[in-house]
Amino acid sequence: MNPPITELTDRARDVFRQVVESYLESGMPVGSRTISKMSGLNLSAASIRNVMQDLEEAGLLAAPHTSAGRMPTDQGLRLFVDGMMHVMEPSAQERAAIEAQASIAGSVEEALAGTTATLSGLSACAGMVMVPKRDVVMRQFSFAPLGHDRALAVLVGSDGSIENRVVELPPGMTASALVEASNYLTARLGGQTLADARTGIEQEIQAERAALDEAARMLVSRGLALWSEDGDRRPVLIVRGQARLLDPSAAADLDRVRQLLDELEGKEEIARLLASASEGDAARIFIGSENKLFALSGSSVIAKPVRALDGRVVGVVGVIGPVRLNYARVVPMVDFTAATLTRLLA
């Protein structure tokens, strides 16, 4: 177990801070000679080496190779983030860039994607956002044949969003019955959400009041059931900026970057990780091995819940990057993005 920050001497805290801040800036192990040249310590290189040795024995620093340089361990970074970090608020330009993307015209998903991409660019990390599926007001519902036994069910929302599912066709389904089913659903869904209209449609079909033949009724029922079974409440997960993880310093550790990119393909696992960050109000920081999902790639995640005006959690926004990311700058940036998305999703 690592010592709390209060148990470190003033000298140890000063040296530890210098090592961590230098490492986060350069990504390279830091030697005692480098620390001795920094202002404010007034310690010899030999004294600094002794302090760094003590910090290594405490589990806060590690020597990655045979060089004399040290770098913070995951536990050391946790101690720094929780007890020593001084955050830097986003600049006016950064706030304006995030707010501009959140207010662009178009669907909510487009605004989320744009905001996430902006957060990625500003933080030099991959940006992520997860929000519940919204009940979009429907404009049109249509079936397009994909062969003799399947069709593509297409939902068009009033905000321009388009969703589709593949549905199996009932026996004896004709082209005219496909059109009939499409027209029926469009007439009853137009101006309503799927959830609002579904109960009435199902009751009409069960009571055989729907002006449809048997095959069309079966198709409508299958289409509605498919949307429900496929999880119309499934969260929307958007990941942007994976290419930013390939920064110049990553060239020396391409295996780690490849592992991280592979891990980012697991959208369901990422969604579960972000969901775990939805408790509480503050941003959660998962550093390296603290997070099983990205432990192999040695990556860190910063995530913050997005809340509605009534306090309900309506999503999670975050970034993922190397453990040496600039926590002091990125954490408040994620905080501000979460607040901006709260206004967007309210």
Side-chain angles (χ1 to χ4, degrees), residues 110-313:
E110 289 172 333
L112 290 174
T115 305
T116 306
T118 299
L119 176 60
S120 169
L122 294 174
S123 64
C125 300
M128 303 181 290
V129 66
M130 183 183 73
V131 293
K133 195 77 168 176
R134 290 168 63 91
D135 277 335
V136 177
V137 175
M138 299 284 81
R139 186 174 71 199
Q140 184 179 357
F141 194 119
S142 62
F143 293 102
L146 293 176
H148 70 281
D149 60 350
R150 294 190 307 163
L152 186 67
V154 182
L155 270 176
V156 181
S158 59
D159 62 353
S161 60
I162 299 176
E163 295 187 37
N164 55 70
R165 306 281 191 278
V166 176
V167 60
E168 293 184 3
L169 294 177
M173 195 76 196
T174 64
S176 61
L178 275 178
V179 174
E180 188 180 6
S182 299
N183 292 340
Y184 172 82
L185 283 171
T186 295
R188 282 154 180 77
L189 284 174
Q192 300 186 71
T193 66
L194 185 63
D196 290 340
R198 184 180 174 194
T199 300
I201 293 174
E202 289 177 337
Q203 289 175 348
E204 272 196 25
I205 291 175
Q206 291 172 3
E208 297 187 351
R209 294 197 303 270
L212 300 168
D213 64 23
E214 181 62 23
R217 281 199 296 270
M218 290 178 64
L219 178 59
V220 168
S221 296
R222 287 185 184 182
L224 293 174
L226 178 66
W227 239 275
S228 175
E229 292 166 3
D230 195 37
D232 62 330
R233 295 290 183 181
R234 185 176 51 190
V236 174
L237 175 65
I238 298 172
V239 181
R240 291 289 184 271
Q242 293 96 319
R244 297 188 183 279
L245 300 172
L246 294 166
D247 63 10
S249 65
D253 197 4
L254 287 179
D255 287 342
R256 181 193 67 79
V257 176
R258 290 193 188 98
Q259 178 69 43
L260 174 55
L261 293 177
D262 287 342
E263 290 162 345
L264 285 174
E265 293 298 317
K267 296 293 184 68
E268 293 183 6
E269 289 80 5
I270 297 173
R272 282 196 289 270
L273 171 67
L274 293 181
S276 73
S278 63
E279 300 176 1
D281 295 322
R284 289 196 62 183
I285 305 171
F286 304 90
I287 299 174
S289 58
E290 295 179 348
N291 164 29
K292 293 181 180 179
L293 176 58
F294 297 113
L296 292 177
S297 61
S299 306
S300 290
V301 175
I302 300 172
K304 174 75 178 286
V306 177
R307 295 184 177 274
L309 297 180
D310 60 4
R312 291 178 300 109
V313 174

Side-chain angles (χ1 to χ4, degrees), residues 21-41:
E21 291 179 347
S22 181
Y23 169 74
L24 293 180
E25 181 178 352
S26 69
M28 302 296 292
V30 185
S32 56
R33 186 174 297 277
T34 300
I35 299 298
S36 67
K37 294 177 180 178
M38 295 179 179
S39 60
L41 286 181

